[in-house]
Amino acid sequence: IKAVGANIADIRRKNNLTQEQLAELASLSTNYIARVERGEIQNFSAINMLKIASSLDVSIDELAEGAHKKENLKSKPLEQFN
């Protein structure tokens, strides 16, 4: 859980967003975002993870892995994924 929080913070910063801005985009509280980023939330719901991922324009996998691979995925032909 702590690694996911650090990944969220990293991706948020790369998108030049504050915790307040991310919270507003995800319809979550700033306190919740801060606690997630610090790894203090033990029961991280899939719904809230989806809200955060959507707000950061990344997949849930990207949040979990910490790799912002969106550009790499877009540049590969679809056949490579079959």
Side-chain angles (χ1 to χ4, degrees), residues 6 10-11 14 16 23-24 29 32 34 47 57 62 76-77:
D10 183 51
I11 295 169
K14 285 179 182 173
N16 296 313
E24 186 174 330
S29 72
Y32 183 84
I47 301 264
D57 196 28
E62 288 171 296
K76 294 182 181 178

Side-chain angles (χ1 to χ4, degrees), residues 44-59:
F44 198 91
S45 78
I47 301 264
N48 287 346
M49 193 166 190
L50 184 58
K51 287 180 179 182
I52 292 169
S54 177
S55 297
L56 293 171
D57 196 28
V58 296
S59 69

Side-chain angles (χ1 to χ4, degrees), residues 24-43:
E24 186 174 330
L25 289 170
S27 298
L28 298 167
S29 72
T30 303
N31 182 49
Y32 183 84
I33 296 295
R35 291 182 64 212
V36 165
E37 288 186 359
R38 289 193 302 263
E40 295 175 5
I41 302 290
Q42 298 300 315
N43 296 319

